[in-house]
């Protein structure tokens, strides 16, 4: 029996959610039900698993339990990059001579993109929700320029398309002269994450039922089935998918294997597009790992800039408003350095979102006990890896021998983290060092 020691807590509301109209949540579970599959968590992983299950077998009875409201959690706090290529250009695995592991990662990522593309086509989304525009990897220093050049050589080896931009060309795109170089890759999808997650939930058909404001309080094996208790009801299921990322550890699962890190974002108020030249919609990850992600978001009444940076280690799986405000002061400096012509434009929204990392960068995935599957630990690439993990978990339950499932089967198991207090000391020191090393980026 696994009993939750804590429930998800979200500090502040994501700007992505606040940009959307209010919605009426699905009803909470208020009785005992029996289903074929229960999914704990309605983020990228859980909803993708539900979609895959219902597509392959519409007769399956599937219950998705969401502790809060759709898009209020980590999925709706994402920066909205569904990437096809690994974006940490200094990754040893990516830069290595053996392209096999990298090809597996690319295949995993593109499987996630295919699911997202299918949903977008079905829903008839415009570019405000789903934009297959690609992304920039962008530099602000000589150090960043070197990483861009290295990345280009790696893409050459992989025979992946790209386009290099000098400082003038970057300015033509971004409307600012702050950046020194960039590399553009065409395969990434950019989404409005809260709108995407809501739409994915609304797309589910067949026997899928979503219950919001219905946290799982405990999991208990009863014969060949699992019984999940909730505040006002219970679910008995033949199979269960844990799609709650770091909160799997709240049930005592993967204890000592998951490192809980929060990252932060700030989004400006709307400003007149006339104040900033360049394209009105673009997205860029930093040339140097742990740097600053930037997006320009086009709107009907004006545009916004998203700044995402700053990382903190939070083993209790929650942050305070002071944590968000401290990160916000860093964002203000980053914004001013990149967009001096937007002086006076204020940040309207600030928030943080949780990530679950493993020591060796692999997912926490697979059948934990008979009938109990995990699709967790997205290692900071939630929209992409979580989507693929959800698909793979569904394939496992369905008995489908897919290429994706084979790829996840080749990952080693998560390695144990150092004991406390060394873990906290080391994690904070490592995050601080990597942010310092990123410098201007």
């Amino acid at each position: 029996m696994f009993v939750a020691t804590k429930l998800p807590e979200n500090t502040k509301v994501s700007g992505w959610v606040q940009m959307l109209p209010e919605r009426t949540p699905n009803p909470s579970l208020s009785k005992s039900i029996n289903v074929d599959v229960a999914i704990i968590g309605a983020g990228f992983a859980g909803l993708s698993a539900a979609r895959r299950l219902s597509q392959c077998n519409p007769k399956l009875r599937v219950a998705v339990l969401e502790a809060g409201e759709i898009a209020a959690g980590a999925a709706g706090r994402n920066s909205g990059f569904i990437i096809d290529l690994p974006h940490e250009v200094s990754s040893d695995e990516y830069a290595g001579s053996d392209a096999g592991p990298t090809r597996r990662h690319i295949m995993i990522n593109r499987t996630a993109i295919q699911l997202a593309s299918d949903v977008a086509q079905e829903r008839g989304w415009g570019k405000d929700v789903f934009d297959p525009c690609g992304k920039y990897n962008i530099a602000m220093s000589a150090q960043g320029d070197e990483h861009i050049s290295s990345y280009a050589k790696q893409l050459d080896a992989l025979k992946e398309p790209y386009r290099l931009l000098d400082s003038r060309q970057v300015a033509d795109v971004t409307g600012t002269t702050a950046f020194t170089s960039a590399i553009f890759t065409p395969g990434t999808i950019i989404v409005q994450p809260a709108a995407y997650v809501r739409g994915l939930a609304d797309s589910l058909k067949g026997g899928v039922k979503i219950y919001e404001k219905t946290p799982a309080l405990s999991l208990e094996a009863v014969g060949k089935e699992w019984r999940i208790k909730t505040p006002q009801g219970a679910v008995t299921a033949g199979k269960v998918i844990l799609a709650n990322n770091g909160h799997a550890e709240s049930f005592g699962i993967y204890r000592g294997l998951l490192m809980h890190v929060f990252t932060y974002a700030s989004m400006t108020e709307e400003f007149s597009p006339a104040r900033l030249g360049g394209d009105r919609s673009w997205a860029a990850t930093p040339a140097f790992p742990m740097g600053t992600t930037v997006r320009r978001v086009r709107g009907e009444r004006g545009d916004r800039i998203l700044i995402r940076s700053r990382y903190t280690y939070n083993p209790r799986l929650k942050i305070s408003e002071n944590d968000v405000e401290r990160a916000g002061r860093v964002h203000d400096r980053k914004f001013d350095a990149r967009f001096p012509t937007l002086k006076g434009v204020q940040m309207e929204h600030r928030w943080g979102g949780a990530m679950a990392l493993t020591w060796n960068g692999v997912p926490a995935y697979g059948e934990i006990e008979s009938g109990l599957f995990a699709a967790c630990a997205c290692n900071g690439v939630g929209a992409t890896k979580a989507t693929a993990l959800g698909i793979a978990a569904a394939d496992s339950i369905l008995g489908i021998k897919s290429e994706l499932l084979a790829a996840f089967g080749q990952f080693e198991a998560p390695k144990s983290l150092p004991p406390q207090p060394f873990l906290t000391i080391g994690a904070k020191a490592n995050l601080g060092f990597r942010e310092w090393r990123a410098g201007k980026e």
Side-chain angles (χ1 to χ4, degrees), residues 355-368:
M355 302 186 295
L357 314 179
T358 59
W359 190 256
N360 48 337
V362 300
Y365 164 80
E367 190 169 12
I368 302 167

Side-chain angles (χ1 to χ4, degrees), residues 38-42 46 63-66 216 219 228 240-244 251:
I39 299 172
I40 298 175
V64 183
L65 308 180
E66 169 55 41
L219 288 162
I228 305 170
V240 174
I241 298 175
L242 282 173
N244 53 352
F251 290 91

Side-chain angles (χ1 to χ4, degrees), residues 256 259 313 315 359 416-431:
M259 187 163 68
Y313 172 62
W359 190 256
S416 297
L417 297 171
Q420 294 288 8
F422 303 105
L423 173 58
T424 295
I425 295 170
K428 291 184 176 180
N430 184 51
L431 290 172

Side-chain angles (χ1 to χ4, degrees), residues 89-102 154 157-158:
V89 298
S90 64
S91 166
D92 292 337
E93 183 180 75
Y94 188 46
S97 59
D98 178 14
T102 299
Q154 294 162 19
L158 291 168

Side-chain angles (χ1 to χ4, degrees), residues 207-229:
V208 179
K209 183 80 171 179
I210 298 175
Y211 300 94
E212 297 183 59
K213 297 183 180 179
T214 304
L217 303 179
S218 66
L219 288 162
E220 182 180 10
V222 181
K224 294 183 179 181
E225 295 181 313
W226 287 89
R227 183 173 173 80
I228 305 170
K229 288 187 178 181

Side-chain angles (χ1 to χ4, degrees), residues 163-431:
R163 177 166 55 91
L164 287 170
L165 292 82
D166 60 23
S167 58
R168 179 186 60 79
Q169 292 168 319
V170 179
D172 288 342
V173 172
T174 63
T176 175
T177 59
F179 301 112
T180 54
S181 67
I183 185 169
F184 173 77
T185 50
T188 290
I189 305 296
I190 304 299
V191 300
Q192 205 285 32
Y196 173 87
V197 172
R198 285 185 181 182
L200 177 55
D202 292 341
S203 77
L204 298 177
K205 303 173 183 176
V208 179
K209 183 80 171 179
I210 298 175
Y211 300 94
E212 297 183 59
K213 297 183 180 179
T214 304
L217 303 179
S218 66
L219 288 162
E220 182 180 10
V222 181
K224 294 183 179 181
E225 295 181 313
W226 287 89
R227 183 173 173 80
I228 305 170
K229 288 187 178 181
T230 68
Q232 300 178 49
V235 181
T236 300
K239 310 286 185 183
V240 174
I241 298 175
L242 282 173
N244 53 352
N245 210 24
H247 271 283
E249 193 171 8
S250 300
F251 290 91
I253 297 169
Y254 293 124
R255 182 172 289 156
L257 300 178
L258 303 180
M259 187 163 68
H260 307 290
V261 173
F262 279 72
T263 187
Y264 301 83
S266 294
M267 184 181 287
T268 68
E269 62 190 359
E270 292 175 319
F271 59 86
S272 169
R275 295 198 58 181
L276 184 66
D279 297 341
R280 289 188 60 193
S281 180
W282 52 269
T285 52
F288 204 88
M290 301 289 285
T292 304
T293 294
V294 184
R295 278 186 64 176
R296 182 171 178 175
V297 183
R298 179 174 183 157
E300 292 183 1
R301 296 179 299 176
D303 296 355
R304 300 175 185 267
I305 298 291
L306 170 81
I307 299 288
R308 191 196 76 174
S309 70
R310 190 79 181 96
Y311 298 83
T312 61
Y313 172 62
N314 302 84
R316 294 190 300 163
L317 282 165
K318 64 179 182 179
I319 55 175
S320 67
E321 292 196 5
N322 285 338
D323 291 324
V324 177
E325 294 304 321
R326 280 194 293 270
R329 290 193 286 272
V330 175
H331 297 163
D332 291 344
R333 295 195 296 270
K334 302 276 190 179
F335 175 75
D336 291 342
R338 286 158 175 77
F339 302 100
T341 62
L342 294 180
K343 186 176 179 62
V345 173
Q346 301 296 310
M347 293 295 177
E348 184 175 357
H349 307 294
R350 302 191 194 274
W351 67 93
M355 302 186 295
L357 314 179
T358 59
W359 190 256
N360 48 337
V362 300
Y365 164 80
E367 190 169 12
I368 302 167
E369 293 193 13
S370 180
L372 178 60
F373 298 81
C376 303
C378 306
N379 290 288
V381 200
T384 312
K385 289 297 192 291
T387 297
L389 279 167
I391 300 169
D395 284 355
S396 293
I397 285 175
L398 294 165
I400 296 174
K401 295 182 179 179
S402 62
E403 183 183 8
L404 180 67
L405 201 58
F408 276 115
Q410 295 186 52
F411 285 108
E412 61 183 2
K415 291 183 178 179
S416 297
L417 297 171
Q420 294 288 8
F422 303 105
L423 173 58
T424 295
I425 295 170
K428 291 184 176 180
N430 184 51
L431 290 172

